[in-house]
Amino acid sequence: MPDLLLELRSEEIPARMQRKAAGDLKKMVTDALVDAGLTYEGAREYWTPRRLTLDIRGLTARSADIKEEKKGPSVSAPQGAIDGFLRGAGLTAIDQATIKTDPKKGDFYVAYLEKPGRAAEEIIADVMPGIIRTFPWPKSMRSGFASMPKGSGYGGIEGKGMESLRWVRPLQSIVCTFGPEHDEVQVIPFEIDGIVASNVTYGHRFHAPEAITVKRFDDYVTSLERAKVILDAERRKDMILHDARDIAFANGLELVEDEGLLEEVSGLVEWPQVLLGTFEEDYLSIPAEIIRLTIKTNQKCFVVRPQGETDKLSNHFILISNIQATDGGREIMHGNGKVVRARLSDALHFWKRDQGDLPDLDTLKASAAKFGLDLKKPLDQRMAKLDALNVTFHAKLGTQGQRVARIRELAKVLAPIVGADAALVDRAVVLANADLRTEAVGEFPELQGAMGRKYALLQGEDASVAAAIEDHWKPNGPSDRLPEDKVGLTVALADKLDTLVGFWAIDEKPTGSKDPYALRRAALGVVRMILEKGIRLPLTNSLQRGMMLIAENPAGISGPYLAAIPDLLSFFHDRLKVYLRDQGARHDIIDAVLTPEADDLLMVARKAEALTAFITSEDGLNLLAGTKRATQLLAAEEKKGTVVADGVSNALLKLDAEKALFAAVQSASKSAADAVASEDFRSAMQALSTLRGPVDKFFEDVLVNDEDAAIRANRLALLKAIREATGTVADFSKITG
């Protein structure tokens, strides 16, 4: 079966777009071919900075013939309907149709249509121009004659009526060959914007700019490699990584690996050459994070460290060149070193400036007094500046200073619950966002928190305060670490709860897949901290307190803000379900222990854990069997509107089986309640499982729907007592099986 080779070669494609673009090309082409009636055995996409390539194997040579039956109107239908049927079926006269008879509908017309299959070459030539013209680049540009403005000397007649091609960078050539593995291949010469597909491509821009004639994919890959182009991006990544490790090791160093940077640099080169650059040791006085980001962001280079070190960097860096230089790369290393030194000089300037005094301290006294700041300390000055400038957090939620004030009050409530030192928590909250006004964070926003910790330690803050400043963002995802200690936990909880309460107060909640403020991530962070650190947090009270603090500055709040809390609690429940399912809990067990008003998430999780372990045991099976029949019958009668007594009356218990069940329920209820009070949920369930025997005996000997309405209501109340007793642990009716 034939294979298809497609290459779209252009000027340099931004590295961040390449992987997705290659995947989009594969999907668009294969979808179009399949829709046209072709099949294929396999397809794989490739990309370099200058080309997107698609290798499709085992493509059928032509689409199948199609026979179609098109039902028409009744033979007695008006002429207009018959004419419409003829046009739709592509017939010129009604005698070209067949008449069929239906016992109910009578005689009607049917057209039998035959569509011959099409050659794959024709289909490919037909679909490719449209795919290229409608390709979903995030950003694109026009090029070629058709993009020239009128009067430029190029518009003229040639450009009249032409729709210029939009491509990420100017498209330069197209390769499109098709044919069996061992026979001659043919070019499918479709045309777009003056570029005609051929079997000619070009190699490395500098090392091998000459034209290369290719046939099929294997020949194409070999020819490109001879022309200093490594087509496979994963292979380029592997080459860069291993060469970087080797050159570092050979110099007594160790590569600081960075998967994101590795992905990016593999998209910047077609013929990767790994070199080792250097800078002055004096710059190592700058924090390692700033050095790494400076070199990564500005020069796309890797940093290295002495072997065996974790916190210390070397004054070397690893750069990836696209040129195999004749001088061994000395000029390239020298040029990159000059740029790195200039950038590090700027970074050193930021680092020193952030440790000095601000020039306008007199204007910051009011803000300093508001937050208890010491204007002799650099980080305190930056917090005062943040407040004095009235930097906006959100138009409807006030300034950063107002937000810090809210978090302080919320943290005062949370600190004793978490068991954190209240004074340290307060200090950490006040300084947590101060580094927003530092020059280092202004240059590298991703260092917020990390720089705050460093500056806090430099000015003598408690280690827990410094750690909390860095950790107030955490956890920042399902796999991110939690804050280091109780001070950090308290600050992080207060920060996330204020965010969630605030956006619920102004009704800017996540909708569908849209979550611009990462509120799902914030709620999951709260859930993780509560469960993984064993925090007994009454969530409703905390949300109410947070909402009241928001309402004291109601710039964008309307309506009864406390009414939003049940919906926000439900949002937490959704995140809790996701977390517990990821931990292996069954969905029905989660539903059984999670009630709409449950706000002690730790207790919910512990109930789910105990129920999971208990439910498959013999006692667990007894518990399910003993309660389900009772609760299901009760629910059915309640649905009918049958009267259920408010409580069980001893005087109305006539039979031994119902008297025994009532006694068993009273005993099991007390034992279960005592066990729940001590959070021994397994013992509570074991106590309730003893009801199995009395319940079975009850249904054997007792008719619940007695003719006497009072007795019937009393017996239903007995079943209700069973449901209430088991409900202290879970709603067992929701457990399947």
Side-chain angles (χ1 to χ4, degrees):
M1 296 174 73
D3 301 329
L4 172 66
L5 169 63
L6 175 69
E7 180 201 70
L8 305 177
R9 189 180 65 89
S10 68
E11 293 291 336
E12 275 70 7
I13 305 167
R16 68 184 182 279
M17 298 183 187
Q18 293 168 18
R19 183 181 291 272
K20 183 179 184 302
D24 288 342
L25 180 64
K26 173 184 172 181
K27 185 176 189 308
M28 293 175 76
V29 172
T30 54
D31 283 355
L33 297 179
V34 170
D35 289 345
L38 301 178
T39 62
Y40 63 96
E41 293 176 357
R44 184 176 172 186
E45 71 276 26
Y46 298 86
W47 61 93
T48 79
R50 300 180 63 214
R51 65 200 81 221
L52 301 179
T53 299
L54 188 57
D55 173 29
I56 300 181
R57 301 290 177 96
L59 193 64
T60 45
R62 63 181 297 110
S63 61
D65 296 341
I66 298 175
K67 293 184 178 181
E68 180 182 356
E69 178 181 305
K70 187 176 182 68
K71 187 176 179 181
S74 167
V75 294
S76 59
Q79 188 60 40
I82 293 174
D83 291 343
F85 164 65
L86 293 176
R87 287 193 299 272
L91 304 180
T92 57
I94 197 61
D95 58 6
Q96 294 174 327
T98 300
I99 297 176
K100 292 186 71 173
T101 301
D102 184 281
K104 295 182 179 178
K105 299 181 179 179
D107 294 341
F108 59 93
Y109 292 112
V110 173
Y112 292 99
L113 309 177
E114 292 189 9
K115 294 182 180 179
R118 300 167 65 200
E121 298 92 326
E122 180 186 344
I123 293 172
I124 294 166
D126 186 40
V127 302
M128 282 309 306
I131 289 172
I132 294 173
R133 286 196 178 279
T134 61
F135 200 80
W137 292 110
K139 292 183 178 180
S140 56
M141 59 189 294
R142 290 189 179 94
S143 61
F145 289 126
S147 67
M148 297 295 180
K150 292 180 180 179
S152 65
Y154 296 97
I157 296 174
E158 299 94 338
K160 189 175 182 180
M162 291 175 62
E163 180 186 352
S164 62
L165 172 66
R166 297 189 67 93
W167 200 247
V168 62
R169 296 291 185 269
L171 191 63
Q172 295 179 326
S173 67
I174 301 171
V175 168
C176 189
T177 66
F178 181 73
E181 184 177 357
H182 301 295
D183 294 337
E184 285 298 315
V185 298
Q186 61 175 302
V187 173
I188 302 179
F190 62 86
E191 182 269 339
I192 182 166
D193 226 38
I195 301 171
V196 180
S198 69
N199 60 351
V200 176
T201 187
Y202 298 83
H204 192 284
R205 181 188 293 277
F206 303 111
H207 290 307
E210 301 82 11
I212 302 169
T213 301
V214 299
K215 295 180 180 179
R216 51 183 61 82
F217 180 76
D218 293 341
D219 162 65
Y220 165 78
V221 172
T222 304
S223 298
L224 281 182
E225 191 151 344
R226 283 198 296 265
K228 299 294 191 287
V229 175
I230 303 295
L231 181 66
D232 189 340
E234 296 303 323
R235 185 175 164 217
R236 292 198 304 276
K237 285 175 65 175
D238 190 63
M239 291 171 62
I240 292 168
L241 180 60
H242 283 85
D243 287 354
R245 287 172 176 168
D246 290 346
I247 198 172
F249 182 79
N251 287 272
L253 304 169
E254 182 179 293
L255 177 69
V256 178
E257 297 187 16
D258 186 325
E259 176 61 29
L261 179 58
L262 181 61
E263 173 80 10
E264 184 174 11
V265 296
S266 72
L268 297 175
V269 295
E270 291 192 316
W271 190 248
Q273 304 296 307
V274 178
L275 302 169
L276 185 68
T278 187
F279 57 87
E280 286 74 17
E281 289 190 1
D282 292 347
Y283 291 121
L284 293 178
S285 63
I286 307 170
E289 296 93 333
I290 296 180
I291 294 175
R292 182 182 62 81
L293 278 173
T294 298
I295 292 176
K296 171 183 175 178
T297 304
N298 294 297
Q299 285 302 102
K300 312 303 179 191
C301 295
F302 296 86
V303 294
V304 291
R305 58 193 171 212
Q307 290 178 6
E309 299 282 352
T310 55
D311 300 324
K312 182 181 177 182
L313 294 182
S314 163
N315 65 318
H316 293 83
F317 61 93
I318 288 179
L319 62 105
I320 315 302
S321 171
N322 193 36
I323 298 174
Q324 189 172 339
T326 56
D327 65 354
R330 283 191 296 274
E331 281 300 315
I332 296 173
M333 289 185 285
H334 176 70
N336 275 267
K338 286 177 63 177
V339 178
V340 165
R341 290 184 197 99
R343 298 299 186 185
L344 288 177
S345 179
D346 292 342
L348 182 60
H349 176 70
F350 299 150
W351 170 242
K352 290 180 177 178
R353 281 279 298 267
D354 286 340
Q355 296 172 60
D357 290 337
L358 293 173
D360 52 354
L361 292 181
D362 288 342
T363 66
L364 305 179
K365 291 180 179 178
S367 293
K370 187 190 308 182
F371 291 101
L373 297 166
D374 182 355
L375 291 182
K376 295 178 182 178
K377 297 182 176 182
L379 201 57
D380 291 54
Q381 294 175 21
R382 273 68 186 174
M383 177 57 213
K385 187 72 173 179
L386 185 69
D387 178 67
L389 289 173
N390 289 320
V391 176
T392 300
F393 168 67
H394 186 281
K396 295 181 180 179
L397 294 172
T399 66
Q400 288 281 4
Q402 290 170 326
R403 182 168 186 261
V404 171
R406 291 197 305 267
I407 295 174
R408 283 183 86 184
E409 294 303 312
L410 192 53
K412 288 178 183 177
V413 176
L414 297 176
I417 295 173
V418 178
D421 183 301
L424 295 180
V425 166
D426 188 69
R427 181 67 172 161
V429 169
V430 168
L431 295 179
N433 290 288
D435 62 357
L436 286 172
R437 293 303 307 168
T438 63
E439 295 195 37
V441 173
E443 180 73 9
F444 301 113
E446 57 266 58
L447 287 180
Q448 187 190 357
M451 295 313 303
R453 180 176 192 163
K454 289 187 179 296
Y455 293 135
L457 290 172
L458 283 171
Q459 70 178 33
E461 299 297 334
D462 185 280
S464 287
V465 171
I469 291 171
E470 180 176 27
D471 291 351
H472 78 281
W473 287 99
K474 295 186 177 295
N476 213 8
S479 59
D480 192 21
R481 69 170 179 85
L482 299 183
E484 291 180 8
D485 61 18
K486 292 181 178 180
V487 174
L489 284 168
T490 305
V491 177
L493 281 170
D495 186 283
K496 286 177 169 54
L497 289 174
D498 175 78
T499 298
L500 288 157
V501 166
F503 284 105
W504 249 256
I506 62 175
D507 197 27
E508 291 197 23
K509 300 173 287 188
T511 55
S513 61
K514 295 181 180 179
D515 187 8
Y517 303 110
L519 301 181
R520 293 187 180 96
R521 187 169 62 192
L524 180 60
V526 172
V527 169
R528 284 191 59 203
M529 285 187 278
I530 288 174
L531 268 54
E532 294 176 27
K533 293 297 183 179
I535 299 171
R536 299 299 301 273
L537 176 64
L539 204 51
T540 300
N541 291 341
S542 301
L543 298 179
Q544 288 175 343
R545 178 60 179 148
M547 195 68 79
M548 292 171 70
L549 290 168
I550 292 283
E552 290 174 6
N553 181 40
I557 300 175
S558 60
Y561 52 89
L562 289 177
I565 289 177
D567 184 62
L568 179 52
L569 184 60
S570 176
F571 184 73
F572 275 105
H573 287 176
D574 290 340
R575 297 304 100 200
L576 176 64
K577 289 178 181 179
V578 171
Y579 178 88
L580 293 177
R581 283 199 295 267
D582 288 344
Q583 299 298 309
R586 283 169 29 186
H587 69 88
D588 57 330
I589 287 180
I590 298 172
D591 291 340
V593 298
L594 186 59
T595 59
E597 66 279 359
D599 74 342
D600 187 341
L601 304 188
L602 182 60
M603 181 174 286
V604 171
R606 288 177 176 172
K607 282 183 179 181
E609 182 181 5
L611 185 54
T612 299
F614 185 76
I615 206 67
T616 56
S617 67
E618 185 177 351
D619 285 342
L621 296 174
N622 284 334
L623 177 58
L624 286 179
T627 58
K628 271 199 169 182
R629 188 174 179 185
T631 54
Q632 287 173 351
L633 191 151
L634 174 63
E637 293 301 320
E638 287 176 330
K639 191 173 182 180
K640 294 178 189 176
T642 307
V643 175
V644 181
D646 293 334
V648 179
S649 169
N650 269 310
L652 292 174
L653 297 174
K654 301 299 183 183
L655 302 176
D656 291 343
E658 59 184 329
K659 293 176 183 178
L661 178 57
F662 184 46
V665 169
Q666 288 179 310
S667 174
S669 296
K670 184 180 184 308
S671 298
D674 292 343
V676 167
S678 61
E679 298 185 19
D680 184 356
F681 302 114
R682 187 176 184 89
S683 293
M685 287 183 274
Q686 283 175 331
L688 294 169
S689 71
T690 61
L691 295 176
R692 168 78 183 268
V695 167
D696 287 348
K697 185 65 173 172
F698 175 82
F699 282 114
E700 287 175 12
D701 296 354
V702 178
L703 177 65
V704 175
N705 287 317
D706 193 88
E707 293 181 358
D708 187 318
I711 292 176
R712 180 172 63 247
N714 195 57
R715 288 173 178 170
L716 290 172
L718 181 54
L719 300 184
K720 185 178 179 182
I722 295 173
R723 185 173 67 186
E724 290 173 348
T726 57
T728 60
V729 179
D731 183 352
F732 292 97
S733 67
K734 292 184 178 179
I735 298 177
T736 59

